[in-house]
Amino acid sequence: MNNNAMPSAKNESVAMIHQYGKTTATKTHLFLSGQKYLLSPARTLIAAFGLFVALGTTAVSASDNLAPDPTNLNFTIGYGDTNTIVCIRNFVLTVPADVSPTAYLLGANQSWLSVADSGGAVSGTIATGTNKTIIVTLLPEGLSIGSYSGKITSGVAWLDVTVNVDITVGELGLDGLIVNNKKYDGNVWGTVFSYGTLRGVVGTEEVILVTNNASAEFRHGAYPSSEAKLVYVSGMTLSGANAGNYSINNIRTTAYIMYPSMAGDFDGDRLADPAMMATSGVWKIWLSSAGYTPVTAGPFYVAGSAVLTGDFDGDRLADPAVMTTNGIWVIWLSSVSYLQVATGPFYVAGGVAVTGDFDGDRFADPAAVAANGVWRIWMSSARYAPVTTSPLYVAGGAAAAGDFDGDGLADPAAVATNGVWTIWMSSASYAPVRTIPLYVAGGAVVAGDFDGDGLADPAAVAPNGVWTIWMSSARYAPVTTIPLIP
């Protein structure tokens, strides 16, 4: 191809090739039955001369090899697209003034190829000096992975093009992928609640998603935000009889990293105060005794820890606490000017940390809830000897604790994804009761006595920092706060 000299012979022309929305001039020798034609970007049917997807189907990848060999078109599509109808390319032929009107008849020698002009016809006459749009359509139904070749021809031989198609493995997606929101813990790893179902499998082919080594990563940082973050799920593989036809990569969704939220009576007025922790470890507490004016304290934090609160020293003031990754509890005691102490380990592998006064001695007891719903509680009245419960379990539920029945003992609770709270009441020999859905989409679960009636109130904190509290003194009617952000 000569990029420095304009063509001089009568049977040469200039091909203008428009690729992916960009037009470039390329001097190309183009032999079409000894006539001189100008091949230019399509401007009539689609503005962007490149890919066009008919009938709302998924776009495919294509490469245009018009230069330097104008008689070949090469295209690549994924296997998952082989049952769609894809308009591959529009050609516009401009007939020079010195060429007489020419009749034409278009055809293809393969069933997966179709050609027509812009009016949908396969035959007609090109008038002198006019533009004619020729549509090349790929109909790859029934084709499997591999390479295919076909011809586009005309009765007057002014168009004779070989079409090469490569069908590669299809890229699958996931419908219904859900990654759980998480409280800030200093790391980028999340947990998948549901992988959903595979999208893009052809027909009844057998393809099975394998998630044993899958992981969810907040790749753009571990810091909390009131806006959703991108989460990339990787490490998934495929099995099944037809798994070789497909791949699964670059799967992503969104989820929130939320500021840790707690409730406790930090000012001793017997009303629970909302509290949240910033990434610096500084706590912001909205004190009920001061009209919910926020105060800051700390930092009270150990990197990677679960953040909690409870009255561990029995002075009727909530104490900040964290449980580290090795199960050590670090507590800042209000009775000694928030002196830091460490105790434990109080730990269950894979467990969730919870606190509450489970034995009624007015000291908060460390607890951990295993994945199977078994609670292990280290009782302060028994020198922190552990006791274990039978499974108190709701599939996918978040653990919470509070004195929901007013008997002075904390009751275990689990909150399902639909917002239904299951509470095992200590006053009823830990028989479970269930609430109506008390739900905030993506919210974190909190419990505390916000209205001072001696009964714990369910609460949920939305990713934007708005607290919704269902007050026991008002028949559990909800109230909402302004956004509380540390």
Side-chain angles (χ1 to χ4, degrees), residues 10 32-37 93-104 124-132 156 158:
K10 188 174 182 178
L32 300 176
S33 301
Q35 302 295 331
K36 182 172 67 176
Y37 293 97
L93 295 180
T94 300
V95 182
D98 58 350
V99 174
S100 299
T102 304
Y104 66 92
T125 300
I126 300 180
T128 299
T130 62
N131 294 332
K132 176 61 66 172
V156 293
W158 57 265

Side-chain angles (χ1 to χ4, degrees), residues 36-342:
K36 182 172 67 176
Y37 293 97
L38 179 63
L39 187 63
S40 64
R43 302 182 186 275
T44 56
L45 193 60
I46 52 175
F49 175 75
L51 298 181
F52 174 80
V53 180
L55 304 181
T57 59
T58 303
V60 299
S61 169
S63 60
D64 187 349
N65 272 1
L66 282 177
D69 181 1
T71 63
N72 285 274
L73 299 177
N74 296 336
F75 304 103
T76 301
I77 67 173
Y79 182 69
D81 295 313
T82 58
N83 285 334
T84 65
I85 301 175
V86 184
C87 184
I88 294 296
R89 180 67 68 194
N90 286 11
F91 299 104
V92 175
L93 295 180
T94 300
V95 182
D98 58 350
V99 174
S100 299
T102 304
Y104 66 92
L105 178 66
L106 294 177
N109 69 348
Q110 295 291 341
S111 61
W112 45 268
L113 274 178
S114 175
V115 290
D117 65 23
S118 57
V122 294
S123 62
T125 300
I126 300 180
T128 299
T130 62
N131 294 332
K132 176 61 66 172
T133 302
I134 307 301
I135 307 168
V136 182
T137 305
L138 180 67
L139 303 99
E141 184 173 359
L143 299 184
S144 59
I145 293 172
S147 299
Y148 302 86
S149 182
K151 285 278 189 180
I152 301 172
T153 59
S154 80
V156 293
W158 57 265
L159 180 63
D160 190 359
V161 175
T162 299
V163 178
N164 299 310
V165 180
D166 290 319
I167 299 179
T168 63
V169 293
E171 185 68 28
L172 298 182
L174 291 176
D175 289 327
L177 173 67
I178 301 173
V179 172
N180 290 323
N181 296 339
K182 61 176 260 181
K183 291 183 180 180
Y184 169 72
D185 58 6
N187 71 63
V188 297
W189 303 108
T191 57
V192 177
F193 173 72
S194 172
Y195 289 93
T197 57
L198 287 169
R199 178 181 68 251
V201 177
V202 176
T204 59
E205 290 190 339
E206 182 187 46
V207 184
I208 301 167
L209 182 67
V210 180
T211 61
N212 295 350
N213 297 313
S215 61
E217 181 182 4
F218 291 83
R219 290 188 185 172
H220 300 296
Y223 294 100
S225 172
S226 59
E227 297 182 356
K229 293 176 173 282
L230 280 175
V231 186
Y232 293 79
V233 181
S234 59
M236 297 174 291
T237 57
L238 302 171
S239 66
N242 305 109
N245 293 340
Y246 303 96
S247 64
I248 185 163
N249 299 288
N250 301 316
I251 302 299
R252 63 186 187 179
T253 185
T254 59
Y256 290 89
I257 298 178
M258 301 172 62
Y259 294 99
S261 50
M262 296 71 64
D265 184 6
F266 292 92
D267 52 12
D269 65 353
R270 300 193 176 183
L271 296 175
D273 308 306
M276 302 182 82
M277 190 195 77
T279 55
S280 62
V282 170
W283 289 47
K284 182 176 282 189
I285 305 167
W286 289 264
L287 294 175
S288 56
S289 62
Y292 296 98
T293 301
V295 299
T296 58
F300 305 131
Y301 186 57
V302 175
S305 299
V307 183
L308 308 115
T309 188
D311 183 5
F312 293 94
D313 52 12
D315 66 350
R316 295 185 181 274
L317 295 176
D319 307 309
V322 299
M323 187 190 77
T324 65
T325 54
N326 62 358
I328 297 296
W329 288 58
V330 179
I331 306 168
W332 290 264
L333 295 174
S334 57
S335 60
V336 286
S337 301
Y338 296 97
L339 176 70
Q340 177 181 315
V341 299

Side-chain angles (χ1 to χ4, degrees), residues 1-9 12-14 25-29:
M1 179 167 53
N2 183 354
N3 287 322
N4 298 312
M6 289 294 292
S8 56
E12 295 176 340
S13 67
V14 178
T26 306
K27 288 88 175 169
T28 304
H29 293 210

